[in-house]
Amino acid sequence: KLSNRLKIVGDFVSQNSRILDVGSDHAYLPINLLKNGKISYAIAGEVVDGPYQSAVANVKSQGLSDKIDVRLANGLEAFTEEDDIDTITIAGMGGSLISQILDAGKEKLHSIDNLVLQPNNSERNLRIWLQENGFLIVDEVILEENEKIYEVIFSKHGESNLNETQIEFGPFLNQEKSPVFKKKWTRELEKQNKILKNLRENSQDSHRVKEIEAKIQFIEENL
Ligand code: SAM
């Protein structure tokens, strides 16, 4: 059974898509989407041999080797135009790594309609990358699972002009301000307050103190 996190990633994949799942690890997401008739074909990309082998074994034991190609490849190198991929999913990695993966293969993204991205952190870096590279955020979800809070970003080609607040908190998440959103930023506020207290007691770095104070104020304004 799929984690709620990966289920929500899968919910953004449209019916009959052909997907590339980058960093697929065990290949649970493509296996699940295929078994549920949501997609017709997937590439499970993995750059590390251990997870690659595990993906190959899982796909084979589910009898899906004809519909899921498991490929040992770095990022977007896992697909070519001939694969006719329309959707890329990248989940369970840092937002900066996701941005790097997209950036390294950005000349291949023109043929991709949908990006479903689930950064574990540094969401702001990913939003900046998307905006600067002609991708529009069309929806977002925030969820909690096993004490961890995750964000899922659904993006398509398009222009946007997000302000600093929307970049930091997410254009949709900041509108919605769900209980999980409030929990995430309350946690972050507590963390920054601790850092500030520590700085005031142990350091003379007034520039850093001002920086943290500004961060705290920014979060408080948006909670
Ligand atoms: N996507 C799955 C999920 O969300 O549950 C697995 C997440 S796992 C924590 C991250 C996986 O990404 C690892 O298996 C790692 O080997 C893989 N990975 C990291 N960088 C990659 C890259 N540049 N290309 C392909 N896979 C990568």
Side-chain angles (χ1 to χ4, degrees), residues 21-34:
D21 185 37
V22 177
S24 199
D25 197 350
H26 27 61
Y28 289 162
L29 178 66
I31 288 173
N32 185 276
L33 292 175
L34 253 154

Side-chain angles (χ1 to χ4, degrees), residues 3 5-6 21-26 28-29 45-48 51-52 73-76 90-93 97 101 118 120:
S3 64
R5 176 181 62 83
L6 282 180
D21 185 37
V22 177
S24 199
D25 197 350
H26 27 61
Y28 289 162
L29 178 66
E46 249 302 330
V47 77
V48 175
Y52 164 78
N74 185 356
L76 305 194
I90 313 181
M93 297 176 215
L97 178 56
I101 288 173
Q118 185 269 301
N120 286 342

Side-chain angles (χ1 to χ4, degrees), residues 6-74:
L6 282 180
K7 188 193 165 293
I8 288 172
V9 170
D11 286 345
F12 281 113
V13 172
S14 37
Q15 194 66 37
N16 301 324
S17 304
R18 292 171 66 88
I19 78 164
L20 164 64
D21 185 37
V22 177
S24 199
D25 197 350
H26 27 61
Y28 289 162
L29 178 66
I31 288 173
N32 185 276
L33 292 175
L34 253 154
K35 289 187 111 181
N36 288 322
K38 188 104 193 245
I39 59 173
S40 52
Y41 172 77
I43 298 170
E46 249 302 330
V47 77
V48 175
D49 191 55
Y52 164 78
Q53 298 296 349
S54 130
V56 171
N58 288 338
V59 167
K60 196 168 171 207
S61 74
Q62 297 291 328
L64 292 172
S65 302
D66 56 333
K67 295 199 170 85
I68 302 179
D69 281 326
V70 184
R71 296 184 184 164
L72 188 61
N74 185 356

Side-chain angles (χ1 to χ4, degrees), residues 22-223:
V22 177
S24 199
D25 197 350
H26 27 61
Y28 289 162
L29 178 66
I31 288 173
N32 185 276
L33 292 175
L34 253 154
K35 289 187 111 181
N36 288 322
K38 188 104 193 245
I39 59 173
S40 52
Y41 172 77
I43 298 170
E46 249 302 330
V47 77
V48 175
D49 191 55
Y52 164 78
Q53 298 296 349
S54 130
V56 171
N58 288 338
V59 167
K60 196 168 171 207
S61 74
Q62 297 291 328
L64 292 172
S65 302
D66 56 333
K67 295 199 170 85
I68 302 179
D69 281 326
V70 184
R71 296 184 184 164
L72 188 61
N74 185 356
L76 305 194
E77 288 172 16
F79 82 108
T80 70
E81 209 140 326
E82 275 134 58
D83 297 313
D84 223 1
I85 296 299
D86 51 55
T87 300
I88 295 177
T89 56
I90 313 181
M93 297 176 215
S96 300
L97 178 56
I98 294 177
S99 308
Q100 279 170 33
I101 288 173
L102 293 171
D103 201 67
K106 63 179 166 191
E107 75 289 346
K108 296 172 92 175
L109 291 174
H110 59 89
S111 63
I112 302 298
D113 298 324
N114 308 299
L115 297 176
V116 188
L117 309 169
Q118 185 269 301
N120 286 342
N121 53 44
S122 304
E123 293 85 1
R124 63 167 290 121
N125 292 353
L126 181 55
R127 290 194 188 93
I128 291 170
W129 187 91
L130 290 168
Q131 170 151 291
E132 287 183 348
N133 289 278
F135 280 92
L136 172 73
I137 297 174
V138 291
D139 206 356
E140 294 171 312
V141 169
I142 189 163
L143 71 133
E144 182 175 9
E145 187 167 55
N146 304 325
E147 304 287 304
K148 288 201 182 119
I149 294 175
Y150 301 102
E151 296 186 9
V152 180
I153 297 175
F154 182 44
S155 182
K156 289 171 176 281
H157 292 281
E159 295 302 318
S160 61
N161 192 11
L162 301 179
N163 61 33
E164 187 49 40
T165 303
Q166 293 170 313
I167 292 282
E168 184 71 38
F169 301 95
F172 292 88
L173 302 180
N174 192 47
Q175 276 281 316
E176 182 193 40
K177 294 201 197 297
S178 70
V180 181
F181 174 91
K182 292 200 171 176
K183 189 167 179 179
K184 169 176 173 150
W185 290 104
T186 301
R187 268 187 200 170
E188 184 60 28
L189 193 60
E190 283 163 7
K191 190 174 130 195
Q192 296 299 331
N193 272 315
K194 264 186 207 149
I195 294 173
L196 183 63
K197 184 165 176 279
N198 212 337
L199 272 176
R200 282 186 171 143
E201 285 166 5
N202 304 309
S203 135
Q204 309 283 50
D205 189 344
S206 63
H207 177 76
R208 181 90 179 114
V209 166
K210 284 214 176 77
E211 210 175 76
I212 303 294
E213 283 171 344
K215 218 178 214 175
I216 287 171
Q217 195 190 340
F218 189 37
I219 298 171
E220 282 172 343
E221 283 166 4
N222 286 283
L223 254 175

